[in-house]
Structures are given as C-alpha cells and as structure tokens.
Amino acid sequence: MENAHHRVLVVGGGNGGISVAARLRNAGVHDIAIVEPREEHLYKPLFSHVAGGTARASITVRPQRDVMPKGVTWIQDAVTAVQPETNAVVLDSGDRLTYDQLIVCPGIQLDWDRVPGLVEAMQTPVAASHYEFDLAQKASALLRDLTRGTVVFTQPDGTASCAGAAQKPMYQACDYWRATGVLGDIRVVMVVPTETAFLPPFDRELERKIDEYGIELRTRSVVLRVDADAQEVVLGGPDGPEHLHYDVLNVEPPQSAPDWLKASTLTAPRATGGFVEVDPETLRHPRFPNVWSLGDAAGTTNSKCGGALRKQTWVVAKNVARVLRGKEPTARYDGYAVCPFTVSRSTVVWAEFDDTGAQKPTIPFFRRMYRESRLSWIFDRHILPWVYWNLILTGRV
C-alpha cells in the first residue's frame, strides 16, 4: 500500500465518512477509499439511551466491514499526519496515501486529561460517562442501582459533539427514580456552561422538566477538577468555586479535534479546537480547494451533532462529484442541527435549530414539534436507529 493513490480519500469511517462515501458511490464516483482503524462501528446517539436504561448496548454496535459501502476500499489504519501541500496522508503503519480529493471527517477527540482528576475518577466504581461504549454501560448500572445520595451530571465548556446530550440520561434516570419511589431521596445536580439549560426556543420545555424532577441547575459553571478519592467535584461558577460531594458522577468530557489534525495546516489560523477550516456553506477548504470536511472535525458554525451530518454529507457528496466532473460546487449547507432531548423514559423534546440558535423545524409549518412528545420518543428511539443502519449509511437519505 506504500504510496497508493485514490481519486477520493475519506479520513474517518464513522457516520460522516461512511455516508458521504456511499453517496459518492451512488453518484457513480469510483476509486474511493476510507481510512478507519476501528473494527466496530458505533451508533452513538443511542449511548444516552443505554446510560438511561432504555436501550441495550449490543444494538449500538456492528462490525465495521458490514457497513462499508460496496465498491469502496477500506484501509484499516490510523492517520498520523495530513499534508495538503502535497496531496498526501501519512498512516500509522508508515504508508503514505495520495489523493485527488480529500474528505476529512475523523470525528472528535475526548480530552479526559484536560480536567485534573477526571481520568482517575473514571477508574472508580462511582463515575461514568455515556460518551464511550463501555462507560455508558457502567453509567446504566450506576443510575439504576442508586437509591439515595447525590448524583452530578456535567457538560463541558467549549465545542463538543451534541453537547446537550449531557442532560439526556439525567432525565431518564429521574423518571425511573420517580417511578421506583426514590427520587425524593436523591439530589440531582446538572452543570452547564451556558446561560440557560440549552437554547431560548427550547428552554421553557426543558426547565419545566427540570422543575418537575427537582433538579438543581448550575448555569455558567464548569468542572475545574475532580477528587476521585474524596468523591468530590469542584465547580467554577459565577459565585466562585463550589465543592460538591457526589455518590455518582456522570461526565461529558471536554473535546477537541484529533491531535494530528491540530498539528496540520488545515486548521484556521488562531482558531480554537484545531478543527478544519472550511467554507460553512460548501464545506470546502478555502486554501486547499481539493480538501473538504464535515461532521465534528469541521470548523463549521453549527452545533456539532449527527443530525447535522445528514445534510452535510449530501452537500459534500454533491460538490465533490461536481468538482470531479470539472464543475463548480453549488450545494449549500444551511447550518441545521438537531438535539432530541429524552426528557423521560417515554417522551422527547425535539430541538431543531440553525447556527444562530433559532428554531429551524424540518416541517416549517409544524413549529410546535419541539414540545414534549411520545411520538418524538418513538422516532428517536426506534425509527431513527433503523433509518441510520439501512438508509443513512447507504447514502439513501
């Protein structure tokens, strides 16, 4: 494989990479390769359901080979460097790949070590996270078995993948504790860096559930450090540091672009997070016109989430296919994002919004779709997973 060349090289075999490659194949593009080291493909939107006790972990994972589009080459290796000046990518094996068009979508990096004591806390029996497969299962058992004490849920400051998902297992757990008669004996604290629970168009619905469950919401607050031995988290907020003992801690870790991406020339000068510089509409790199990026690794203006990927993969596939035919890109991404808040074990608040935070419903005349709904739960928990495995990853929607 040394010095192999491909017409289209895709970095990352997650939702974005598989979907955009499938769309390109459906458009008749040949000689596509995906670089992805993992042997398993994960449907991460269900991780919060796993932690909340409403989904089995086994249904979130499939073999990577089973989701690879037909006719696409899978290079099972990891990228260590990208060199857009010479149209090359360097792999962990030492191989060097060249390309005509490069699509960068390796996802986001979980920076556990950015919060002192967080790594050590995850190794204890009382701390978990629904942002990793194994830890989501751990969180499920912890939340299920808790009958009294203090549980703390945290959302990090800065850019994160579906940041609002920090709240999802919390609401499901509260609904379970209420049903089993122990909610009154459990103190629930939610830590968010924002001014409100989420975004103004949806805050009223979320705050109603927060009040209903008796959750203590800490806004404009972040985790400064964790003392795993003492089971204590130190928060930084508008009133100064707060030391909070926990019996269970569920964390959404700080996040950033992969280290190899931060070190590349694809990032914008003086940009934070190390994400790929792109035109926010065409998703094309402004300095390297044969480089594209989408998903969590792209320096777009939208909220990072799986719902945004569906539209982004369509835009990139359309534009790359046109460029390969010698035409200019015409498809545009509109900044759409979505966060289905599981506010109980049977209802969802369906939050759709654009890159300004304004409501952007898929059905324009149905602007009340954001209200708590059983139908939205069925769609999020049961229909969307089927759509993901059978339609999204095959490039059909």
Side-chain angles (χ1 to χ4, degrees):
M1 192 181 295
E2 294 181 11
N3 302 317
H5 181 87
H6 294 280
R7 195 178 188 201
V8 179
L9 184 63
V10 181
V11 176
N15 180 348
I18 296 292
S19 301
V20 75
R23 287 185 186 274
L24 286 167
R25 283 294 296 126
N26 294 344
V29 177
H30 297 279
D31 192 16
I32 304 169
I34 296 176
V35 181
E36 171 56 57
R38 294 170 297 182
E39 294 186 353
E40 294 180 327
H41 187 96
L42 302 170
Y43 180 57
K44 295 182 179 180
L46 275 185
F47 281 15
S48 58
H49 285 275
V50 172
T54 55
R56 301 185 312 276
S58 60
I59 68 173
T60 69
V61 58
R62 291 189 182 182
Q64 186 73 22
R65 64 178 178 272
D66 290 354
V67 300
M68 280 287 163
K70 292 182 179 179
V72 172
T73 301
W74 175 23
I75 301 171
Q76 192 174 359
D77 207 334
V79 173
T80 57
V82 58
Q83 301 166 344
E85 296 84 0
T86 56
N87 298 329
V89 166
V90 180
L91 305 182
D92 186 56
S93 61
D95 290 336
R96 185 173 182 270
L97 307 176
T98 55
Y99 55 83
D100 292 333
Q101 300 289 321
L102 176 68
I103 302 175
V104 183
C105 47
I108 207 162
Q109 177 175 281
L110 303 182
D111 295 330
W112 293 100
D113 56 356
R114 270 173 50 192
V115 176
L118 188 54
V119 172
E120 292 77 9
M122 289 301 114
Q123 297 169 356
T124 69
V126 294
S129 172
H130 58 290
Y131 268 68
E132 289 195 357
F133 181 76
D134 293 338
L135 292 177
Q137 297 175 78
K138 181 182 179 184
S140 178
L142 285 174
L143 298 175
R144 179 197 63 208
D145 296 340
L146 187 68
T147 57
R148 63 177 61 250
T150 298
V151 56
V152 180
F153 296 86
T154 75
Q155 176 183 326
D157 194 11
T159 303
S161 180
C162 199
Q167 302 179 38
K168 295 181 183 182
M170 173 184 69
Y171 297 124
Q172 294 176 80
C174 285
D175 193 23
Y176 173 77
W177 292 327
R178 181 173 59 184
T180 55
V182 300
L183 181 59
D185 297 321
I186 298 175
R187 180 189 183 191
V188 184
V189 181
M190 180 70 227
V191 181
V192 298
T194 48
E195 295 280 344
T196 61
F198 188 57
L199 292 171
F202 317 105
D203 282 337
R204 186 174 180 179
E205 282 294 284
L206 297 180
E207 289 169 357
R208 179 173 59 82
K209 300 303 291 187
I210 288 170
D211 291 341
E212 180 182 315
Y213 294 130
I215 297 167
E216 299 178 24
L217 181 64
R218 299 286 195 276
T219 58
R220 295 184 292 162
S221 301
V222 295
V223 177
L224 298 179
R225 62 182 182 276
V226 181
D227 186 332
D229 294 331
Q231 291 182 212
E232 181 182 79
V233 59
V234 181
L235 308 179
D239 300 322
E242 177 184 6
H243 294 252
L244 194 60
H245 173 80
Y246 63 83
D247 294 284
V248 171
L249 175 65
N250 190 81
V251 173
E252 178 184 341
Q255 297 160 53
S256 66
D259 289 337
W260 61 263
L261 191 53
K262 295 175 190 170
S264 76
T265 54
L266 293 179
T267 61
R270 297 178 297 279
T272 59
F275 302 104
V276 179
E277 182 182 10
V278 292
D279 179 298
E281 294 184 341
T282 65
L283 304 178
R284 190 183 204 178
H285 200 286
R287 291 177 284 115
F288 303 103
N290 64 338
V291 175
W292 313 76
S293 186
L294 52 85
D296 292 344
T300 50
T301 54
N302 64 282
S303 175
K304 298 183 184 299
C305 65
L309 268 175
R310 183 177 60 83
K311 291 197 172 187
Q312 290 177 358
T313 57
W314 181 86
V315 169
V316 171
K318 286 286 185 181
N319 287 339
V320 169
R322 284 184 62 85
V323 168
L324 288 172
R325 296 195 301 268
K327 299 180 179 181
E328 285 298 310
T330 57
R332 297 288 185 270
Y333 170 57
D334 60 4
Y336 172 87
V338 59
C339 185
F341 282 94
T342 49
V343 293
S344 76
R345 292 170 66 85
S346 60
T347 58
V348 158
V349 169
W350 194 266
E352 295 179 289
F353 49 98
D354 62 19
D355 52 2
T356 69
Q359 190 179 355
K360 191 178 181 63
T362 297
I363 307 173
F365 59 83
F366 191 20
R367 301 189 68 84
R368 291 175 63 84
M369 189 174 176
Y370 72 93
R371 300 297 297 270
E372 181 182 2
S373 166
R374 169 66 175 168
L375 183 60
S376 294
W377 164 274
I378 294 171
F379 187 71
D380 179 54
R381 171 60 186 84
H382 298 288
I383 298 177
L384 267 184
W386 185 91
V387 170
Y388 180 79
W389 296 115
N390 295 280
L391 300 179
I392 292 178
L393 293 185
T394 58
R396 297 176 187 175
V397 297

